[in-house]
Coordinates of all heavy atoms in Angstrom, one line a residue:
L255 N 6.1 6.6 -1.2 CA 6.1 6.0 -2.5 C 6.7 4.6 -2.5 O 6.2 3.6 -3.1 CB 6.9 6.8 -3.5 CG 6.9 6.4 -5.0 CD1 5.4 6.2 -5.5 CD2 7.6 7.3 -5.9
R256 N 7.8 4.4 -1.7 CA 8.5 3.1 -1.5 C 7.5 2.1 -0.9 O 7.4 1.0 -1.3 CB 9.7 3.2 -0.6 CG 11.0 3.6 -1.3 CD 12.2 3.3 -0.5 NE 12.1 3.8 0.9 CZ 12.5 5.0 1.2 NH1 13.0 5.9 0.3 NH2 12.4 5.4 2.5
G257 N 6.8 2.6 0.1 CA 5.8 1.7 0.8 C 4.7 1.3 -0.1 O 4.3 0.1 -0.1
L258 N 4.1 2.2 -0.8 CA 3.0 1.9 -1.7 C 3.4 0.9 -2.8 O 2.6 0.1 -3.2 CB 2.4 3.2 -2.3 CG 1.6 4.1 -1.3 CD1 1.3 5.5 -1.9 CD2 0.3 3.4 -0.8
R259 N 4.6 1.1 -3.3 CA 5.1 0.2 -4.3 C 5.4 -1.2 -3.7 O 5.2 -2.2 -4.4 CB 6.3 0.8 -5.0 CG 6.0 1.9 -6.0 CD 7.3 2.6 -6.5 NE 6.9 3.4 -7.6 CZ 7.8 4.3 -8.2 NH1 9.0 4.4 -7.7 NH2 7.4 5.0 -9.2
R260 N 5.9 -1.2 -2.5 CA 6.3 -2.5 -1.9 C 5.0 -3.4 -1.7 O 5.2 -4.6 -1.7 CB 7.0 -2.2 -0.5 CG 7.5 -3.5 0.1 CD 8.0 -3.2 1.5 NE 8.3 -4.4 2.2 CZ 8.5 -4.5 3.5 NH1 8.5 -3.4 4.3 NH2 8.7 -5.7 4.1
V261 N 3.9 -2.8 -1.5 CA 2.6 -3.5 -1.3 C 2.5 -4.6 -2.4 O 2.0 -5.7 -2.1 CB 1.4 -2.5 -1.2 CG1 0.1 -3.3 -1.3 CG2 1.5 -1.7 0.1
F262 N 2.9 -4.3 -3.6 CA 2.7 -5.2 -4.7 C 4.0 -5.9 -5.2 O 3.9 -6.9 -5.8 CB 2.0 -4.5 -5.9 CG 0.6 -4.1 -5.5 CD1 0.3 -2.7 -5.2 CD2 -0.5 -5.0 -5.4 CE1 -0.9 -2.3 -4.8 CE2 -1.7 -4.6 -5.0 CZ -2.0 -3.3 -4.7
R263 N 5.1 -5.2 -4.9 CA 6.3 -5.8 -5.3 C 6.8 -7.0 -4.4 O 7.5 -7.9 -4.8 CB 7.4 -4.8 -5.4 CG 7.1 -3.7 -6.6 CD 8.2 -2.7 -6.7 NE 7.9 -1.7 -7.8 CZ 8.7 -0.7 -8.1 NH1 9.9 -0.6 -7.5 NH2 8.4 0.1 -9.1
D264 N 6.4 -6.9 -3.1 CA 6.7 -7.9 -2.1 C 5.7 -9.0 -2.1 O 4.5 -8.7 -1.8 CB 6.9 -7.2 -0.8 CG 7.5 -8.1 0.3 OD1 7.4 -9.3 0.2 OD2 8.2 -7.6 1.2
P265 N 6.0 -10.2 -2.3 CA 5.0 -11.3 -2.3 C 4.4 -11.6 -0.9 O 3.4 -12.3 -0.8 CB 5.8 -12.5 -2.8 CG 7.2 -12.2 -2.5 CD 7.3 -10.7 -2.7
D266 N 4.9 -11.0 0.1 CA 4.3 -11.1 1.5 C 3.0 -10.4 1.6 O 2.3 -10.6 2.5 CB 5.3 -10.7 2.5 CG 6.4 -11.7 2.9 OD1 6.1 -12.9 2.7 OD2 7.5 -11.3 3.3
F267 N 2.7 -9.5 0.6 CA 1.5 -8.7 0.7 C 0.6 -8.9 -0.5 O -0.2 -9.8 -0.4 CB 1.9 -7.2 0.8 CG 2.9 -6.9 1.9 CD1 4.3 -6.6 1.6 CD2 2.6 -7.1 3.2 CE1 5.2 -6.4 2.6 CE2 3.5 -6.9 4.3 CZ 4.8 -6.5 4.0
R268 N 0.6 -8.1 -1.5 CA -0.2 -8.2 -2.7 C -1.7 -8.5 -2.4 O -2.3 -9.5 -2.7 CB 0.3 -9.4 -3.5 CG 1.7 -9.1 -4.1 CD 2.3 -10.1 -4.9 NE 3.6 -9.7 -5.4 CZ 4.5 -10.6 -6.0 NH1 4.2 -11.8 -6.2 NH2 5.7 -10.1 -6.3
P269 N -2.4 -7.5 -1.9 CA -3.8 -7.6 -1.6 C -4.7 -7.6 -2.8 O -4.3 -7.2 -3.9 CB -4.1 -6.4 -0.7 CG -3.1 -5.3 -1.2 CD -1.9 -6.1 -1.5
D270 N -6.0 -8.0 -2.7 CA -6.9 -8.0 -3.8 C -7.5 -6.6 -4.0 O -7.9 -6.2 -5.1 CB -8.1 -8.9 -3.5 CG -7.6 -10.3 -3.2 OD1 -7.3 -11.0 -4.2 OD2 -7.5 -10.8 -2.0
M271 N -7.5 -5.8 -2.9 CA -8.1 -4.4 -3.0 C -7.2 -3.5 -2.1 O -6.6 -4.0 -1.2 CB -9.5 -4.4 -2.6 CG -10.5 -5.2 -3.4 SD -12.1 -5.3 -2.7 CE -12.6 -3.6 -2.6
I272 N -7.3 -2.2 -2.3 CA -6.7 -1.3 -1.4 C -7.6 0.0 -1.3 O -8.3 0.3 -2.1 CB -5.3 -0.8 -1.9 CG1 -5.3 -0.2 -3.3 CG2 -4.3 -2.0 -1.9 CD1 -4.0 0.5 -3.7
K273 N -7.4 0.6 -0.1 CA -8.0 1.9 0.1 C -6.9 2.8 0.6 O -6.1 2.4 1.5 CB -9.1 1.8 1.2 CG -10.3 1.1 0.8 CD -11.4 1.1 1.9 CE -12.7 0.4 1.4 NZ -13.7 0.4 2.5
I274 N -6.7 3.9 -0.1 CA -5.6 4.8 0.3 C -6.3 6.0 1.0 O -7.0 6.8 0.4 CB -4.8 5.3 -1.0 CG1 -4.2 4.0 -1.6 CG2 -3.8 6.3 -0.6 CD1 -3.4 4.4 -2.9
Y275 N -5.9 6.2 2.3 CA -6.5 7.2 3.1 C -5.4 8.2 3.5 O -4.7 7.9 4.6 CB -7.1 6.7 4.4 CG -8.3 5.8 4.2 CD1 -8.6 4.8 5.2 CD2 -9.2 6.0 3.2 CE1 -9.8 4.1 5.1 CE2 -10.4 5.3 3.1 CZ -10.6 4.3 4.0 OH -11.8 3.5 3.9
P276 N -5.0 9.2 2.8 CA -4.0 10.2 3.2 C -4.4 10.7 4.6 O -5.5 10.9 4.9 CB -4.1 11.3 2.2 CG -4.6 10.6 1.0 CD -5.6 9.6 1.4
C277 N -3.4 10.8 5.5 CA -3.6 11.2 6.9 C -4.2 12.6 6.9 O -3.7 13.5 6.2 CB -2.3 11.1 7.6 SG -2.4 11.6 9.4
V278 N -5.2 12.8 7.7 CA -5.7 14.1 8.0 C -5.8 14.4 9.5 O -5.8 13.5 10.3 CB -7.2 14.2 7.4 CG1 -7.2 14.1 5.9 CG2 -8.1 13.2 8.0
V279 N -5.8 15.7 9.8 CA -5.8 16.1 11.2 C -7.3 16.4 11.6 O -8.0 17.2 11.0 CB -5.0 17.4 11.4 CG1 -5.1 17.9 12.9 CG2 -3.6 17.2 11.1
L280 N -7.7 15.6 12.6 CA -9.1 15.8 13.1 C -9.1 16.2 14.6 O -8.2 15.8 15.3 CB -9.8 14.4 13.0 CG -9.9 13.8 11.6 CD1 -10.3 12.4 11.6 CD2 -10.8 14.6 10.7

C-alpha cells in the first residue's frame, strides 16, 4: 500500500498510466 501510494505522492514518478499485476505463481 505504501508503494502504490508513493507512485503518485512522490514527484519522481507520477506516471500517465498504470497496470497492476498482482504476483502469481506460474
Side-chain angles (χ1 to χ4, degrees):
L255 185 57
R256 277 197 308 272
L258 290 169
R259 284 175 168 170
R260 185 185 171 194
V261 168
F262 295 101
R263 294 181 180 182
D264 190 331
D266 280 332
F267 307 111
R268 295 180 180 168
D270 302 282
M271 297 170 62
I272 58 170
K273 292 183 178 179
I274 302 179
Y275 293 152
C277 182
V278 295
V279 177
L280 303 166

